Amino acid sequence: MRGYSYLLGFLLLVCSCNSSQKVPKEILPPEKMETVLWDLMRSGALVNNFILSKDSTLDKNQEHIKWVNRVLTFHQITEKQFKKSFSYYQEHPELMSVIMDSISKREEDPVIRLNPKQNLRAE
């Protein structure tokens, strides 16, 4: 009888851990969210370090908005989808932490930094 109690406890633990990792259908999956955030971060760096430094007549906010829209269009998602997904991950820090850790590893990997084409995943 005690063995069944342990087995039941273990199964409940496993099921509860697995269900917390699933995201609702309308939320971007963690892998896609990671890729979108990575591309948004890189586009921000591109705008700040190259585009705005070459042309001081450009409106900083407009350039950022333009590049954010390009990234979202590239990934075939709407601003509303992204914002809803981002809010969801902010409310679930354990999932956001995994995404941000993966992004951090991308930044540390010299192969990815030097060859950004390897970042693109077939989705």
Side-chain angles (χ1 to χ4, degrees):
M1 185 70 176
R2 228 174 138 168
Y4 290 116
S5 297
Y6 288 124
L7 179 62
L8 180 61
F10 176 74
L11 289 175
L12 286 173
L13 179 67
V14 168
C15 290
S16 66
C17 290
N18 286 340
S19 65
S20 68
Q21 298 300 318
K22 293 181 182 176
V23 296
K25 189 168 57 170
E26 67 274 4
I27 301 300
L28 296 175
E31 299 82 17
K32 182 153 183 136
M33 189 67 177
E34 175 193 333
T35 304
V36 172
L37 284 173
W38 171 250
D39 287 345
L40 286 170
M41 291 168 69
R42 290 189 312 158
S43 72
L46 174 74
V47 170
N48 287 331
N49 297 328
F50 297 104
I51 295 173
L52 294 176
S53 66
K54 302 280 185 205
D55 188 351
S56 61
T57 64
L58 295 173
D59 181 316
K60 180 179 179 181
N61 291 331
Q62 288 297 91
E63 273 310 297
H64 281 288
I65 290 170
K66 181 169 69 173
W67 281 88
V68 165
N69 288 332
R70 286 180 178 177
V71 169
L72 296 179
T73 300
F74 175 79
H75 288 286
Q76 299 176 342
I77 60 174
T78 65
E79 182 179 355
K80 183 178 177 182
Q81 285 175 302
F82 175 76
K83 285 182 176 181
K84 185 172 186 173
S85 296
F86 192 75
S87 292
Y88 174 85
Y89 286 109
Q90 284 181 313
E91 293 169 5
H92 295 83
E94 70 282 356
L95 294 174
M96 182 64 100
S97 177
V98 172
I99 291 171
M100 297 312 287
D101 286 347
S102 296
I103 289 173
S104 179
K105 287 179 183 163
R106 283 183 180 209
E107 289 177 346
E108 294 169 3
D109 189 337
V111 174
I112 292 174
R113 283 189 321 192
L114 294 175
N115 190 358
K117 288 183 181 179
Q118 289 183 342
N119 296 333
L120 299 177
R121 297 179 182 163
E123 296 179 9

